[in-house]
Amino acid sequence: MARRAGRLLAVLGMLLLGAALAAVVPVLPARERSAAVRAWARGTIRAFGVRLVLAGRLPRRRALLVANHVSWLDVLAVLAVQPARMVAKREVRDWPLVGALAAAAGTIWVDRVRPRTLPGTVARVAAALRAGRPVAVFPEGTTWCGGPPGCRPGGGFRPAVFQAAIDVGAPVVPLRIGYRDASTGAGTATPAFVGDETLWRSVRRVLAAGDLVVSVSAAAALHPAPGADRRLLARAAESAIHLVPVPAVAPCPARRVPVVTAPGAAVPAAAVPGGGAVAGTGGLGLAA
């Protein structure tokens, strides 16, 4: 109980700091803005009692970062390693404080109930990439349990947003996000945000948990050729993510995967079988 209360106070402090940060981030120069967002995300992760581990290299320039999606903590983990413009569902904009922070950070909103707006969302992602900004998205479109291998959303990565990288010629960097118990090194679904669970209930569970580790493992960048097939690119990125091992305690090198160079390029088969998904309503990613 004392640990949960202490963490809650620390998190509230970081949220208040974030509210102040939201007012100044839009006017900061790019480098200072990135440093401020990264520092805030890392501080907030620590406030929750979670340790961050990064494996692999992230690009210093523009790139489309694509990751599997387990928890609302995923957003903090991505921002902590590479401040980027996030692609998130429109509903997040109405979340208390979090919505204001997301808007201040330049989040690109996607309306999941109006598919006709999707081309406009892809165009905004392309514009951000063209301007030299990294953009991060969760192409599964929803969170999943993050536990057993069979627990993954059906349908795989949604390919729409990959078109932005093809149009701009930006690299796609697959990120594997995983959660482990710090004391045992075993994977855990404690941070998973699934089903009809409320955000507050999920937050309380993380606050009450033992020490957790979130690992972000970057695979080799995929470089789409002009006119590449976005569906093949999405499959390659998804396969790369599930080929990347999650470090138990210390970072480990990410495995390299084939580069997509043409619409007909070979794509490795996913290492983890699909089916049996336990999807949730908490997803922040692209849904089409």
Side-chain angles (χ1 to χ4, degrees):
M1 183 65 71
R3 176 171 58 186
R4 187 190 319 189
R7 287 178 176 176
L8 180 58
L9 288 175
V11 169
L12 290 176
M14 292 305 301
L15 289 177
L16 290 175
L17 178 60
L21 191 62
V24 300
V25 159
V27 299
L28 290 176
R31 180 173 297 182
E32 286 77 5
R33 179 173 59 238
S34 293
V37 171
R38 181 186 289 111
W40 177 81
R42 291 187 176 188
T44 305
I45 289 175
R46 285 196 299 269
F48 274 106
V50 180
R51 181 164 63 90
L52 175 69
V53 173
L54 171 64
R57 292 185 178 181
L58 291 171
R60 297 181 178 227
R61 291 183 262 179
R62 70 181 185 185
L64 181 67
L65 310 176
V66 296
N68 60 305
H69 201 11
V70 178
S71 170
W72 45 270
L73 273 170
D74 299 347
V75 177
L76 291 173
V78 171
L79 293 178
V81 299
Q82 177 68 290
R85 292 190 65 179
M86 304 296 302
V87 178
K89 62 181 182 180
R90 183 174 55 88
E91 291 82 354
V92 174
R93 189 168 50 187
D94 299 325
W95 290 6
L97 189 55
V98 175
L101 289 171
T107 297
I108 299 171
W109 305 110
V110 57
D111 191 338
R112 302 197 298 184
V113 299
R114 297 175 60 199
R116 291 180 299 176
T117 65
L118 186 55
T121 301
V122 174
R124 287 190 289 276
V125 172
L129 292 171
R130 198 172 287 114
R133 295 286 303 278
V135 178
V137 64
F138 302 105
E140 287 168 328
T142 185
T143 49
W144 57 284
C145 70
C151 175
R152 288 172 56 195
F157 277 14
R158 274 63 169 181
V161 74
F162 290 87
Q163 188 62 48
I166 295 170
D167 292 344
V168 177
V172 175
V173 179
L175 302 178
R176 169 73 181 271
I177 299 175
Y179 293 89
R180 292 187 173 272
D181 185 294
S183 60
T184 66
T188 177
T190 296
F193 183 33
V194 298
D196 295 327
E197 184 176 42
T198 65
L199 178 61
W200 172 236
R201 183 176 177 183
S202 178
V203 167
R204 287 175 57 193
R205 187 172 62 251
V206 171
L207 290 172
D211 293 336
L212 299 173
V213 176
V214 55
S215 61
V216 181
S217 303
L222 305 172
H223 296 274
D229 188 325
R230 66 175 179 266
R231 291 174 180 82
L232 289 179
L233 183 57
R235 286 171 54 198
E238 183 176 16
S239 295
I241 285 173
H242 293 293
L243 285 171
V244 172
V246 177
V249 178
C252 60
R255 291 180 58 183
R256 297 186 65 83
V257 295
V259 173
V260 177
T261 56
V267 178
V272 182
V278 182
T281 57
L284 303 179
L286 200 64

